[in-house]
Amino acid sequence: MNRRRWFVGKKMAAWCCVLLLVLLAADLYANRLADPDIISAAGEPSAAERAAAKQTEAGTKTVALTFDDGPHPVWTPKLLDGLRKRHVHASFFLIGQNIDGNEEIVRQMYKDGHLIGNHSQSHMQLTAEHAEDACAQIRRTNEKIKAVTGHEPDYVRPPFGSWSDELEELVPMTAVLWNLDPLDWKSQDRASVVAYVKSHVEDGSIILLHDVYEPSVEAALEIVDMLLAEDYNFVTVDEMLIE
Ligand SMILES: [Zn+2]
């Protein structure tokens, strides 16, 4: 009898130990979930998480890539593919007459999250024309962009950077110029464009390129890789102007 009672007592003690262990384990697990330090120590942040954290740090260098004169049926899609792979957004200032027949490219550009702006209908020097003609050029291109994307652009880049107080008054859009011009259209040489940007780029640079030349598109993607490695954050011009 004693022996049996002793056995029952031992069995109960064993069950109590198991219960205690379960409770202890549950408590430890709950503490672990509640403590963010333990979580971050447990899982190393991924490269993407580290990059995102870096970009939100104060003082991060920003740069805007801008492309004029497109879309081009061959080089613009190549550029869009390269930018998409690198998760980089750029700003494209389109010539209205180049949109004709390339609507699908513009749709893809919009879908990829790039900023789409206006570069006039026929690359007109807007200040050399009557103000009404200049406004009509801008309006026609806005209409074409809206027909494809559903959104009218807010930004205009005047061809040759030629803008006036009168146009500023008349056109309800923001004119965007640039501060870093590697003259890619002139050299059409990938290496010299990359070298120029490498030696002149700084925080706040708005780089002017043209997605209608193969060397420019190749240079642009090389510039992206180079500046990502230097911790630059790529923004579209609207983000750059807000800062
Ligand atoms: Zn242009």
Side-chain angles (χ1 to χ4, degrees):
M1 195 67 180
N2 276 349
R3 194 182 163 91
R4 185 181 159 81
R5 200 174 296 143
W6 176 81
F7 179 71
V8 170
K10 196 178 168 192
K11 206 172 170 184
M12 275 186 72
W15 276 113
C16 282
C17 279
V18 168
L19 191 66
L20 201 69
L21 278 172
V22 167
L23 286 173
L24 262 171
D27 188 48
L28 267 173
Y29 185 65
N31 277 337
R32 189 182 170 80
L33 281 184
D35 190 337
D37 287 340
I38 292 176
I39 285 251
S40 61
E44 279 290 301
S46 67
E49 283 167 338
R50 274 199 299 271
K54 226 171 210 175
Q55 287 190 0
T56 55
E57 277 172 18
T60 300
K61 297 175 288 184
T62 56
V63 64
L65 277 182
T66 67
F67 297 94
D68 287 9
D69 296 3
H72 185 278
V74 177
W75 308 127
T76 305
K78 192 181 169 196
L79 176 61
L80 292 177
D81 288 348
L83 293 175
R84 198 180 313 116
K85 273 184 205 146
R86 292 163 174 80
H87 306 287
V88 160
H89 289 147
S91 306
F92 289 84
F93 293 96
L94 308 183
I95 294 180
Q97 64 188 19
N98 289 352
I99 295 173
D100 301 335
N102 292 318
E103 288 84 354
E104 208 41 61
I105 297 170
V106 178
R107 210 165 282 132
Q108 184 65 51
M109 192 181 275
Y110 183 74
K111 209 176 130 197
D112 286 352
H114 301 294
L115 180 138
I116 299 179
N118 186 321
H119 196 49
S120 85
Q121 169 64 13
S122 60
H123 212 269
M124 176 193 265
Q125 186 173 347
L126 299 165
T127 52
E129 306 292 326
H130 285 297
E132 304 109 76
D133 295 337
C135 289
Q137 279 260 330
I138 293 170
R139 208 167 40 242
R140 280 182 69 192
T141 299
N142 274 355
E143 284 163 5
K144 282 188 183 181
I145 293 171
K146 191 179 178 184
V148 177
T149 66
H151 293 273
E152 201 159 295
D154 296 314
Y155 296 86
V156 58
R157 171 165 283 160
F160 316 101
S162 192
W163 198 237
S164 64
D165 290 343
E166 188 184 16
L167 289 171
E168 183 72 30
E169 283 277 305
L170 291 171
V171 178
M173 300 175 79
T174 304
V176 183
L177 299 182
W178 58 87
N179 52 28
L180 205 170
D181 183 2
L183 296 174
D184 63 316
W185 59 274
K186 203 170 180 182
S187 72
Q188 296 200 29
D189 178 67
R190 179 195 54 78
S192 70
V193 171
V194 174
Y196 187 89
V197 171
K198 188 179 171 65
S199 58
H200 291 80
V201 70
E202 58 184 12
D203 183 26
S205 286
I206 298 178
I207 304 173
L208 171 62
L209 290 165
H210 299 78
D211 53 321
V212 292
Y213 309 109
E214 184 179 19
S216 299
V217 167
E218 287 175 347
L221 296 176
E222 206 172 316
I223 287 164
V224 169
D225 292 337
M226 175 177 81
L227 298 185
L228 282 175
E230 290 179 25
D231 290 335
Y232 272 93
N233 181 23
F234 284 86
V235 296
T236 46
V237 290
D238 52 336
E239 298 170 288
M240 185 68 99
L241 295 174
I242 286 166
E243 282 165 4

